[in-house]
């Protein structure tokens, strides 16, 4: 994996995206963690999606930067995520795409296990939830995924944590007990390598009594929902996310 310049802990304050003028009353807050295999990416890449969500849901969207592997492996990113959410007030919905979805769910689990106040809900877009899963087990899915490869996921998994840590639920939150969680919105495409993670989480969390909304879009690729205004499927996914934010935060402001 190409070496990257070290990123200090929370070097930059989280970006805040708010469509239009601030309302006279407190807005719900969505905290979204960007994807990139825990190794690449930036909150800047998600601002378009955040602006669309803010406009439709009447919320503000906080976009944290978190330390990236390999310079800063687990638990650095999770520690940064905990620090960001601890500084927020009012109704909060956690969110994340790809590895950011795994980070968001790991954060919710940490908050639950530490007895902290829980977020109003959690949005998981094409989440990467099991770092140890053999992604070569479904050759047809490998062929259909136009963005991810098993080799790249393996490289990112090794950069983020040692293989013996992959079974830790704070690294692979699919392996956790999924009871006592806030409502979950899980979205995925059927033509992405991470589709099994979304489906397995939906089944596990539902069986554990968690309120789960799980939607999958046929023939859509990894993170397609981040392209509202360009794809009808992404527009549909965004509208569902806005509905979810409004539903889980109703009456909490």
């Amino acid at each position: 994996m190409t070496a990257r310049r070290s990123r200090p802990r929370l070097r930059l304050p989280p970006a805040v995206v708010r469509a239009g003028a601030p309302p006279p009353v407190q807005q719900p807050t969505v905290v979204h963690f960007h994807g990139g295999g825990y190794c690449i990416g930036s909150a800047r890449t998600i601002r378009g999606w955040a602006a669309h969500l803010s406009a439709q849901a009447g919320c503000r969207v906080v976009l944290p930067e978190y330390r990236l592997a390999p310079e800063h492996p687990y638990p650095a990113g999770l520690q940064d995520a905990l620090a960001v959410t601890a500084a927020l007030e009012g109704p909060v919905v956690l969110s994340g795409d790809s590895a950011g979805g795994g980070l968001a769910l790991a954060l919710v689990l940490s908050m639950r296990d530490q007895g902290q106040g829980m977020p109003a809900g959690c949005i998981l877009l094409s989440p990467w939830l099991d770092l140890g899963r053999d992604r070569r087990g479904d050759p047809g899915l490998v062929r259909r995924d136009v963005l991810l490869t098993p080799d790249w996921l393996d490289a990112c998994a090794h950069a983020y944590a040692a293989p013996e840590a992959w079974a830790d639920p704070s690294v692979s939150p699919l392996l956790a007990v999924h009871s006592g969680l806030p409502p979950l919105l899980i979205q995925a495409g059927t033509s992405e390598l991470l589709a099994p993670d979304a489906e397995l989480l939906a089944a596990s969390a539902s069986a554990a009594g968690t309120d789960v909304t799980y939607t999958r879009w046929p023939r859509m690729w990894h993170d397609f929902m981040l392209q509202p205004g360009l794809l009808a499927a992404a527009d549909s996914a965004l509208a569902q996310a806005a509905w979810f934010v409004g539903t889980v935060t109703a009456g909490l402001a």
Side-chain angles (χ1 to χ4, degrees), residues 20-244:
V25 296
Q26 187 179 45
Q27 288 179 299
T29 298
V30 175
V31 181
H32 185 90
F33 299 98
H34 69 82
Y38 298 108
C39 295
I40 61 174
S42 164
R44 292 189 296 272
T45 62
I46 207 74
R47 285 184 174 181
W49 175 87
H52 281 275
L53 181 65
S54 177
Q56 288 200 28
C59 64
R60 66 170 183 159
V61 184
V62 175
L63 303 174
E65 299 286 3
Y66 56 92
R67 287 175 291 174
L68 299 175
E71 294 88 350
H72 303 290
Y74 169 83
L78 182 57
Q79 291 170 343
D80 293 349
L82 283 164
V84 168
T85 54
L88 297 173
E89 298 180 355
V92 173
V93 175
L94 297 182
S95 176
D97 68 277
S98 195
L103 183 59
L105 183 57
L107 176 56
V108 173
L109 293 167
S110 178
M111 297 168 74
R112 179 198 65 184
D113 294 344
Q114 295 178 22
Q116 299 179 6
M118 297 293 279
C122 184
I123 300 171
L124 303 172
L125 313 179
S126 297
W128 188 22
L129 304 175
D130 184 355
L131 272 64
R133 184 179 181 87
D134 181 10
R135 304 295 168 174
R136 298 172 180 82
D138 186 339
L141 192 57
V142 173
R143 289 192 297 270
R144 293 197 303 274
D145 194 310
V146 298
L147 185 62
L148 302 178
T149 67
D151 287 345
W152 189 80
L153 290 171
D154 284 349
C156 290
H158 280 86
Y160 183 61
E164 55 267 25
W166 292 348
D168 187 326
S170 61
V171 175
S172 295
L174 181 61
L175 307 182
V177 175
H178 299 121
S179 58
L181 300 181
L184 302 178
L185 172 62
I186 308 168
Q187 299 179 337
T190 61
S191 295
E192 58 173 306
L193 277 175
L194 301 184
D197 291 29
E199 185 166 355
L200 290 169
L201 174 63
S204 175
S206 294
T210 296
D211 181 354
V212 176
T213 302
Y214 168 49
T215 307
R216 58 182 185 174
W217 278 260
R219 298 180 299 280
M220 298 309 295
W221 52 86
H222 181 66
D223 264 358
F224 77 90
M225 61 287 292
L226 301 182
Q227 299 175 284
L230 298 175
L231 297 171
D235 292 339
S236 175
L238 184 84
Q240 186 182 49
W243 161 83
F244 179 80

